[in-house]
Amino acid sequence: MKIISVNDFYKDASAEAPDLNSKEIGHFDVFDLKALIAQMKGKPEMPYNRRAYYKISLICGKNTAEYADKIIEIEECALLFATPKIPYNWIPMEQDQSGYFCIFTDDFLDPGRYGVSIDELPIFKAGGYPVFEVSSERSTEIEMIFKKMMGELSSTYSFKSDLLRNYVLELIHYGQKLQPASASYPVHTASARVSSLFEELLERQFPIESVGQKLHLRTAKAYADQLSVHVNHLNKVLKEQTGKTTTEIISERIIREAKFLLRQTDWNISEIGYCLGFEEIAHFSNFFRKQTKLSPVEFRS
């Protein structure tokens, strides 16, 4: 699986980067989807890959979006949030497609300079559901934000990069308001802190990008040891915060990665099992069947 850089994006889109971008400011750009599709001669489909930039899209038209292990059918309009941490794909199901999207790098919202830690925002956290179908009324509101971005990007205003950051944050907060209340910012208690550290430690092991990479932390005790807490305390905290045990959360994340590797790579099942910490293919097959009711071979076929 290829990691698509910003330069790769412009090459594939036959587009030029705006003058705004620099090492000090970071990269930002915004596009009219219909115009870009016409420019690309009607080839809007994106392969399932990981991008080296963040992307926020308003897509209007019948589509299928693949995000991590999720497949989401879009009937009319949707607001999508994509992060470099998770691969995704967009497949148009009809010719009539419209909307807007912006791309930006992490240094565009550098926390040290601008006080925004983008990966800590609920909309970009791992395990979330960052695709929201929206009504025509809401899509018009979102479209106006993108149009303001396009107008500002072409302006000569000296502080337009600051204004563009505000528009990006407005889109992020618009999306976060569409999430259920339980997905909003958690109360900062000691338990929430332990839960957050566990999630960070878990996600740090992914994605699996080569057959030589192997998962090292597989058990609740291994995570508890890394976090310097007793395994019973970690279980209690996670049960309170998520309603799931440590083992259940670990298993769900391993299964999510297993599904991705089975669907998107040509690695054999033994290689996938080894990367996910299973020394024997039978152990991996039994684990996968227990979680999904299918064998890895059945899932892949």
Side-chain angles (χ1 to χ4, degrees):
M1 180 178 58
K2 183 179 179 183
I3 297 179
I4 307 299
S5 68
V6 169
N7 289 337
D8 291 332
F9 166 82
Y10 282 101
K11 183 178 178 181
D12 292 342
S14 301
E16 293 185 7
D19 294 334
L20 166 75
N21 306 293
S22 71
K23 289 182 179 178
E24 291 74 27
I25 295 174
H27 187 92
F28 174 86
D29 208 348
V30 59
F31 298 88
D32 181 318
L33 182 59
K34 186 181 280 289
L36 187 63
I37 290 173
Q39 184 173 306
M40 295 172 70
K41 299 179 181 178
K43 296 179 181 178
E45 185 172 335
M46 300 185 307
Y48 195 99
N49 278 317
R50 196 178 304 277
R51 276 78 181 173
Y53 47 84
Y54 294 83
K55 184 176 181 181
I56 305 175
S57 309
L58 172 66
I59 297 177
C60 294
K62 192 170 183 178
N63 295 276
T64 296
E66 293 185 25
Y67 190 91
D69 65 329
K70 302 178 180 71
I71 299 177
I72 304 110
E73 303 294 337
I74 300 167
E75 291 298 325
E76 294 185 15
C77 291
L79 183 61
L80 296 81
F81 295 83
T83 162
K85 290 184 176 180
I86 301 174
Y88 61 92
N89 184 23
W90 165 53
I91 305 168
M93 306 304 290
E94 59 185 14
Q95 286 295 111
D96 189 17
Q97 300 289 328
S98 62
Y100 298 85
F101 68 89
C102 65
I103 63 172
F104 55 96
T105 51
D106 54 359
D107 47 355
F108 184 70
L109 291 176
D110 177 29
R113 184 173 299 179
Y114 308 112
V116 178
S117 182
I118 190 165
D119 289 327
E120 290 300 311
L121 296 172
I123 202 77
F124 288 112
K125 283 208 167 188
Y129 193 91
V131 179
F132 306 95
E133 289 208 66
V134 295
S135 64
S136 57
E137 182 181 349
R138 280 185 162 167
S139 69
T140 300
E141 293 175 357
I142 298 165
E143 183 179 320
M144 288 305 300
I145 300 173
F146 279 106
K147 285 183 174 179
K148 286 191 283 187
M149 285 179 170
M150 297 190 83
E152 203 55 54
L153 191 60
S154 60
S155 77
T156 58
Y157 181 47
S158 300
F159 300 100
K160 64 182 177 182
S161 60
D162 294 326
L163 193 48
L164 286 166
R165 283 187 196 92
N166 288 338
Y167 291 146
V168 169
L169 289 171
E170 186 175 355
L171 284 175
I172 289 171
H173 287 293
Y174 197 108
Q176 288 181 169
K177 285 165 68 177
L178 296 175
Q179 290 186 316
S182 60
S184 299
Y185 296 93
V187 178
H188 291 286
T189 63
S191 292
R193 177 65 176 161
V194 170
S195 179
S196 177
L197 288 171
F198 166 79
E199 181 184 334
E200 181 182 340
L201 188 58
L202 176 64
E203 288 301 325
R204 199 182 296 165
Q205 296 200 92
F206 300 97
I208 302 294
E209 295 182 316
S210 74
V211 292
Q213 186 179 345
K214 187 178 181 182
L215 210 64
H216 292 293
L217 300 178
R218 282 279 322 282
T219 66
K221 187 177 186 309
Y223 281 92
D225 289 345
Q226 285 287 315
L227 296 169
S228 301
V229 298
H230 194 279
V231 66
N232 291 344
H233 177 66
L234 180 60
N235 271 319
K236 181 175 181 293
V237 163
L238 292 178
K239 192 71 174 177
E240 289 174 351
Q241 295 289 316
T242 70
K244 300 174 183 177
T245 67
T246 312
T247 300
E248 286 172 339
I249 297 170
I250 296 168
S251 295
E252 286 178 2
R253 185 61 184 89
I254 291 174
I255 281 294
R256 199 162 85 224
E257 194 72 8
K259 287 179 177 179
F260 166 73
L261 295 173
L262 286 166
R263 184 186 294 140
Q264 301 296 334
T265 75
D266 58 1
W267 304 353
N268 64 49
I269 291 168
S270 179
E271 289 171 329
I272 293 173
Y274 176 81
C275 288
L276 295 173
F278 297 89
E279 297 294 337
E280 301 289 338
I281 188 171
H283 295 162
F284 172 55
S285 295
N286 290 338
F287 170 80
F288 194 89
R289 184 183 290 278
K290 183 179 179 182
Q291 299 293 323
T292 67
K293 310 302 181 188
L294 296 171
S295 72
V297 173
E298 289 169 336
F299 179 83
R300 177 173 259 179
S301 62

